[in-house]
Amino acid sequence: MVRTERIVPISYTNLIILIIRLMAVSGAVVWTVYYKPAGFTKISPYIIYIDLFLIYIYIIFFIIRFYCDKRSKIYCLFTFVFDQLVISYFIFNTGGYFSPFYAGYFITITIAAFVVGLRASLITAAAGMIFFVLANIKYGVSIYNWFDIIYRIVPFIMIALPTGILSYKADNFIERIDSLNNKLQIKNKELNESLQTIENMQAQLLEREREKAMLKLTENMAHRIRNPLMSLGGIATILDKKLKKGV
């Protein structure tokens, strides 16, 4: 993914979204098959096959995601628009305006905002608005219906805009944190280099002080030994002269 990768690994994000999609589709199929309130249209006998087809498509989406890094934003946006289409299909078959699957639009828009960003959430919301209108055409188009449709699609933008802005702000905040962390790492590296330089200078200074101490000690020892040696040398010279004279 794009914006959540700083918090959660991309593979985990993809897996979570896949699980949500599979659970949502399977739950929707179970609901449409076993719970049929009055007034709902006849459910297609092929709903189970449609469910299996959607599961297959979502697994393909999950696999393809790992091979489209260069166009990840476009691909993620496409998958969220497809989600809106799937939601509209279930709305089309379960009562239109008052379908319980209406809330699925908001979930998809919110996830798109935090995964891809503000622009993607607005596009996903616009796609949901169009699909929602198309899904309700068969239920009749009148002034009342249009007011009801407008009343129901306006919240799409009301959800997409703040969540997208929040995602944008959060992403900028994370980028600032990353920038500060990078600067801190650079400063820490410079500090470590400075400490290493200081340690090297201290080691050199200690070595020089040790050499000076050894030199001074050697000079003192040489001075102390030189005087007795000079005395012995003088005595040896006198004795040598006397020996030569035969004394």
Side-chain angles (χ1 to χ4, degrees):
M1 294 300 167
V2 181
R3 308 182 81 85
T4 57
E5 61 184 3
R6 297 186 179 94
I7 302 173
V8 181
I10 294 176
S11 57
Y12 290 172
T13 304
N14 284 325
L15 182 60
I16 291 171
I17 293 177
L18 174 65
I19 292 173
I20 292 174
R21 284 168 169 164
L22 297 182
M23 291 178 62
V25 170
S26 300
V29 171
V30 172
W31 193 92
T32 53
V33 170
Y34 294 101
Y35 184 74
K36 301 176 182 179
F40 276 27
T41 57
K42 183 180 180 181
I43 303 301
S44 170
Y46 303 105
I47 189 68
I48 301 298
Y49 299 105
I50 294 173
D51 177 37
L52 295 175
F53 173 74
L54 291 175
I55 290 174
Y56 174 78
I57 291 296
Y58 282 135
I59 292 175
I60 294 298
F61 284 170
F62 176 75
I63 296 173
I64 292 177
R65 172 61 187 87
F66 294 99
Y67 299 95
C68 61
D69 292 337
K70 295 181 180 180
R71 295 182 176 270
S72 57
K73 289 185 178 181
I74 297 175
Y75 179 74
C76 290
L77 177 59
F78 168 78
T79 59
F80 289 126
V81 171
F82 182 81
D83 290 334
Q84 299 291 62
L85 180 62
V86 172
I87 294 168
S88 301
Y89 167 78
F90 284 104
I91 286 178
F92 177 79
N93 288 283
T94 55
Y97 308 107
F98 305 103
S99 172
F101 299 107
Y102 172 72
Y105 289 117
F106 301 110
I107 297 173
T108 304
I109 292 169
T110 302
I111 295 176
F114 283 100
V115 171
V116 190
L118 174 60
R119 185 180 300 176
S121 67
L122 292 174
I123 295 174
T124 304
M129 294 166 67
I130 295 171
F131 294 150
F132 182 77
V133 171
L134 295 176
N136 284 280
I137 287 179
K138 80 167 187 175
Y139 294 96
V141 178
S142 64
I143 294 177
Y144 173 79
N145 288 344
W146 276 112
F147 276 116
D148 191 42
I149 289 176
I150 293 173
Y151 173 77
R152 288 181 175 274
I153 64 177
V154 166
F156 290 11
I157 300 298
M158 295 175 64
I159 292 294
L161 196 59
T163 53
I165 293 174
L166 180 61
S167 174
Y168 176 77
K169 295 290 184 181
D171 192 63
N172 286 341
F173 181 72
I174 293 174
E175 286 181 354
R176 289 177 58 189
I177 293 176
D178 291 341
S179 177
L180 292 174
N181 286 334
N182 292 333
K183 291 180 180 179
L184 182 60
Q185 291 178 359
I186 293 173
K187 294 297 181 182
N188 286 335
K189 184 178 179 180
E190 292 177 353
L191 179 60
N192 290 331
E193 292 176 353
S194 299
L195 290 174
Q196 187 64 37
T197 302
I198 292 173
E199 290 178 357
N200 293 336
M201 292 177 65
Q202 287 179 341
Q204 293 177 1
L205 182 60
L206 290 174
E207 186 65 25
R208 290 179 182 177
E209 291 295 329
R210 189 180 297 109
E211 290 176 356
K212 287 182 180 180
M214 292 294 295
L215 180 62
K216 187 174 182 180
L217 178 62
T218 303
E219 289 178 352
N220 289 334
M221 291 181 64
H223 179 71
R224 291 171 180 259
I225 295 173
R226 182 177 56 187
N227 292 332
L229 288 177
M230 290 180 66
S231 300
L232 291 174
I235 295 172
T237 303
I238 295 171
L239 290 174
D240 183 62
K241 289 180 178 180
K242 288 183 177 182
L243 289 172
K244 288 180 178 180
K245 291 180 179 180
V247 179

